[in-house]
Amino acid sequence: MKKLIVGNWKMFTTTAEAELLVERVDAKVLPTHGSEVVFCPPATALENVKAKLNTLKHKQSYSLGIQNIYDQDEGPFTGEISAAQVKDLVNYAIVGHSERRRIFAERDTEIAKKVAACLRHNITPILCVGETLAEREAGHSKRVVVDQLTVDLGYMTAQELENIVIAYEPVWAIGTGNFAKPDDVREMIGVIRGHIEELYGEIHGAHVRVLYGGSVEPENARSYTRIAGCDGLLVGGASINYIKFSEIINLSHR
Ligand code: PEP
């Protein structure tokens, strides 16, 4: 299966910078890179980036994602964007990112509704789960991730599992340079697959796409993508550096 390499640009780049960034990544990506690449620019740049992607050499390997979505389709929700509104623009949506959980107090019950909203509109949610440092130090990593998954997937059927991506993103590794040890990532991906198996059956545990995210750089990317069961990467900081991101893409299929 192709690796999935997702770039979360967070609240960086103007629209002009966003267009330039995808152009520069494309110029450095090898024709043989072999991955599916999802760019998640700020919502303000989605339309322009989509148009730009269509002009690029490797356009067949690129998709577009939004960084967050509201759980309702329409209504008096000032400042929010619904899946219904972007369904023709994006294929993916990041849901439950730890920055949203921490800074915007998003709870798992809301995240479950966001996952459902994505699926209603044929958008693939990239569901982020992961423990904080305190939870890890207390020995609760597995329980935290299992509890998040149980609630976050509450409205999902087994058939819908092929339209979801789960990203294991330990909170302490995000934006810190303190990336997780590949052995720990292997173990946690096993926990995620094991829990999906318990909820939905063996086949689904094996087939659901699971990524790692947390301080991924060209120097460590390969140590994760070669883990059996790791289907790709969610990259934050390094994804707005075209040299680093294109290197990560080029390394990931090897
Ligand atoms: C992220 O934003 O999901 C992320 C993993 O960030 P970083 O790569 O900067 O740690």
Side-chain angles (χ1 to χ4, degrees), residues 8-10 94 97-99 128 169-170 173-177 212-217 234-239:
N8 173 19
W9 298 4
K10 313 193 189 208
I94 298 174
H97 191 278
S98 68
E99 286 157 12
C128 301
E169 293 220 308
I174 297 177
T176 58
Y212 167 72
S215 296
V216 171
E217 294 282 336
L234 176 44
V235 185
S239 72

Side-chain angles (χ1 to χ4, degrees), residues 168-170 173 179-180 185 189 210-216 224 230 232-234:
Y168 171 56
E169 293 220 308
F179 52 88
V185 172
I189 288 177
V210 184
L211 315 181
Y212 167 72
S215 296
V216 171
Y224 303 115
C230 179
L233 301 166
L234 176 44

Side-chain angles (χ1 to χ4, degrees), residues 42-241:
T44 45
L46 280 173
E47 219 161 319
N48 288 52
V49 170
K50 189 178 174 89
K52 178 60 75 178
L53 290 181
N54 272 326
T55 69
L56 300 180
K57 249 188 330 215
H58 304 103
K59 64 178 176 189
Q60 70 291 344
S61 36
Y62 303 141
S63 301
L64 203 55
I66 190 164
Q67 297 173 16
N68 178 39
I69 207 84
Y70 195 55
D71 60 34
Q72 303 292 307
D73 289 348
E74 62 177 8
F77 305 108
T78 302
E80 294 294 333
I81 298 174
S82 77
Q85 291 171 317
V86 290
K87 67 174 195 292
D88 298 326
L89 207 50
V90 302
N91 299 105
Y92 291 88
I94 298 174
V95 174
H97 191 278
S98 68
E99 286 157 12
R100 298 220 47 96
R101 292 176 186 260
R102 181 171 50 85
I103 304 167
F104 302 100
E106 263 184 29
R107 289 161 304 168
D108 287 296
T109 46
E110 297 164 63
I111 292 166
K113 289 194 238 164
K114 292 181 175 209
V115 168
C118 288
L119 293 170
R120 265 200 309 281
H121 295 287
N122 290 322
I123 295 173
T124 300
I126 301 169
L127 170 65
C128 301
V129 294
E131 79 285 359
T132 63
L133 186 59
E135 289 161 344
R136 182 170 192 84
E137 285 175 350
H140 295 154
S141 307
K142 293 178 191 169
R143 205 196 66 206
V144 167
V145 166
V146 162
D147 286 352
Q148 287 173 338
L149 285 174
T150 304
V151 181
D152 298 347
L153 301 179
Y155 300 114
M156 266 194 52
T157 64
Q159 289 88 322
E160 287 169 330
L161 266 183
E162 62 189 67
N163 299 323
I164 185 171
V165 175
I166 298 170
Y168 171 56
E169 293 220 308
V171 180
W172 46 270
I174 297 177
T176 58
N178 188 17
F179 52 88
K181 292 195 188 83
D183 280 349
D184 292 344
V185 172
R186 182 182 295 109
E187 188 182 5
M188 290 305 289
I189 288 177
V191 168
I192 290 169
R193 292 193 184 283
H195 190 58
I196 297 291
E197 188 177 320
E198 245 174 63
L199 293 175
Y200 296 101
E202 202 175 325
I203 296 209
H204 298 291
H207 286 156
V208 66
R209 284 185 290 175
V210 184
L211 315 181
Y212 167 72
S215 296
V216 171
E217 294 282 336
E219 294 73 28
N220 61 24
R222 193 63 198 111
S223 67
Y224 303 115
T225 50
R226 70 169 160 237
I227 295 173
C230 179
D231 298 309
L233 301 166
L234 176 44
V235 185
S239 72
I240 51 171
N241 176 319

